[in-house]
């Protein structure tokens, strides 16, 4: 299984933030900062879940983490890097992507279909 994530973010305007968007801030039991839900939080959640399962020898499959730092700017080195390390990555039976909305603390969100996203500016 290959959990695929990214940790980079696009620039954020200062307006609408009550703290610096690039400084992780805790308030009222919640963490606020650029990229917390897209996608740093899910990276930590899957890593902690895997660590817990490993510690109990309950992980029933091999995991290969693919954590990218160029997703928001076009993934320019992605293909080359995956190609270079294909043997180390091995065969993949499933890919886990978490690049979607969190509905709430008590209700999971399963996204079963995504369409392409284009970010551009027209002049």
């Amino acid at each position: 299984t290959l959990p695929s994530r990214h940790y980079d973010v696009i620039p954020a305007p200062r307006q609408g933030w009550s703290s610096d968007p690039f400084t992780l801030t805790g308030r009222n039991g919640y963490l606020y900062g650029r990229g917390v839900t897209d996608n740093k939080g899910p990276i930590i959640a899957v890593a902690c879940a895997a660590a817990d399962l490993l510690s109990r020898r309950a992980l029933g499959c091999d995991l290969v983490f693919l954590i990218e730092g160029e997703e928001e700017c076009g993934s320019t080195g992605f293909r080359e890097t995956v190609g270079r390390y294909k043997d180390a990555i091995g065969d993949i039976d499933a890919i886990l992507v978490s690049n979607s909305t969190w509905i709430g603390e008590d209700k999971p969100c399963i996204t079963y279909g995504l369409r392409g996203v284009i970010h551009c500016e027209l002049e």
Side-chain angles (χ1 to χ4, degrees):
T1 303
L2 184 129
S4 178
R5 309 282 191 271
H6 70 94
Y7 61 85
D8 61 328
V9 295
I10 58 175
R14 301 277 304 166
Q15 64 208 52
W17 289 86
S18 57
S19 57
D20 178 0
F22 293 99
T23 300
L24 186 63
T25 306
R27 286 193 309 274
N28 300 322
Y30 293 92
L31 295 174
Y32 294 87
R34 196 75 178 111
V36 170
T37 60
D38 180 21
N39 209 338
K40 294 175 181 91
I43 290 171
I44 296 299
V46 172
C48 288
D52 178 63
L53 289 169
L54 279 171
S55 72
R56 295 184 287 121
R57 298 188 185 277
L59 185 60
C61 64
D62 292 333
L63 283 181
V64 176
F65 281 83
L66 177 60
I67 301 173
E68 183 184 6
E70 296 182 320
E71 191 264 352
E72 297 290 1
C73 62
S75 301
T76 57
F78 185 79
R79 180 184 298 259
E80 177 186 334
T81 302
V82 170
R84 184 181 316 139
Y85 296 102
K86 187 174 183 341
D87 291 337
I89 293 170
D91 294 330
I92 302 299
D93 296 319
I95 297 176
L96 172 64
V97 176
S98 65
N99 199 10
S100 57
T101 303
W102 288 18
I103 295 173
E105 294 179 15
D106 300 324
K107 295 181 183 176
C109 174
I110 298 175
T111 301
Y112 55 87
L114 296 171
R115 295 183 179 170
V117 176
I118 296 174
H119 177 78
C120 61
E121 293 180 20
L122 299 176
E123 293 183 19

